[in-house]
Amino acid sequence: MRAEFSENLITRNELIDSQHRELIDRINKLLDSCEDSDAKLAAIKTLDYLSDYTVFHFGAEEELQKEIEYPGYEAHKEQHENFKKTISELDEMLQEEEGPSPAFVKKVEENVIKWFYTHIEGFDRSVAEYKFMREHDGRL
Ligand SMILES: [Fe+2]
C-alpha cells in the first residue's frame, strides 16, 4: 500500500494542500525504505525525515488556526499530538527490532496513511472551510 493524494483530500487551502503532498511523499519514502537491503537503517532515516516535516506541518496548521481563531483548535491539536505519539511508537519498534517488520508496515498503513486520510477529510478540510467562510462571508 502507498499513500495517494486524491481529490477528496483537497482542502482548497494552497499551503495546507502543498504540505500534505510533501507529507504523502515522505510517507511513501518510508514505505519504500522498508524494502531496502539495509532496511533498518533506511527506515530509521526516512521515519526521521517524515517526523521532521510532520512537526513543521502541524506547527503551520496550528498557527493558521490561531490566526483565524478557529473554534476547534484544542481538539485538532490533540489529534496532532496523537499522531506524534504514533511516530515515536514506530521509532521504538524500529529500534527494538531487526528492521521494519510486517507489524511495522501494517502500523504505518493503519495509523499513518489511514489516519492521515481521515484527519484531512474531517479536521483539515473543516479548518480550510472555516477560513474560506471567514474571508468570504461576513457572518463569521
Ligand atoms: Fe491537521
Side-chain angles (χ1 to χ4, degrees):
M1 181 183 192
R2 291 292 182 267
E4 217 182 306
F5 193 89
S6 57
E7 205 155 300
N8 46 334
L9 299 183
I10 294 174
T11 67
R12 291 196 301 170
N13 178 295
E14 236 173 90
L15 178 84
I16 296 180
D17 286 342
S18 67
Q19 292 185 356
H20 284 164
R21 283 180 197 276
E22 176 69 26
L23 273 174
I24 285 187
D25 197 50
R26 293 191 187 210
I27 291 169
N28 288 334
K29 285 204 167 76
L30 170 64
L31 286 166
D32 289 345
S33 76
C34 295
E35 290 158 18
D36 267 25
S37 51
D38 193 359
K40 181 171 180 170
L41 191 67
I44 288 174
K45 273 191 193 158
T46 49
L47 182 65
D48 196 45
Y49 182 65
L50 171 63
S51 171
D52 274 357
Y53 199 74
T54 302
V55 171
F56 165 75
H57 166 64
F58 286 170
E61 263 190 17
E62 287 162 17
E63 210 43 58
L64 172 77
Q65 291 175 46
K66 278 195 234 160
E67 254 170 56
I68 61 171
E69 294 167 318
Y70 181 65
Y73 173 81
E74 288 301 331
H76 198 132
K77 193 175 162 59
E78 201 179 307
Q79 284 263 318
H80 287 172
E81 292 308 318
N82 286 340
F83 187 82
K84 287 186 202 165
K85 222 179 281 163
T86 299
I87 297 278
S88 45
E89 283 164 14
L90 285 168
D91 190 53
E92 275 166 36
M93 279 176 96
L94 281 181
Q95 306 287 353
E96 281 164 15
E97 288 164 27
E98 278 303 296
S101 61
F104 176 89
V105 174
K106 192 161 180 258
K107 195 169 162 75
V108 173
E109 289 171 351
E110 295 291 324
N111 297 23
V112 175
I113 298 182
K114 285 188 187 154
W115 180 94
F116 199 54
Y117 289 162
T118 315
H119 179 79
I120 295 177
E121 283 181 49
F123 286 78
D124 294 343
R125 284 181 78 162
S126 130
V127 172
E129 213 165 287
Y130 184 84
K131 184 175 186 287
F132 184 84
M133 296 280 281
R134 201 180 141 98
E135 284 159 5
H136 296 86
D137 183 343
R139 283 176 301 175
L140 272 176

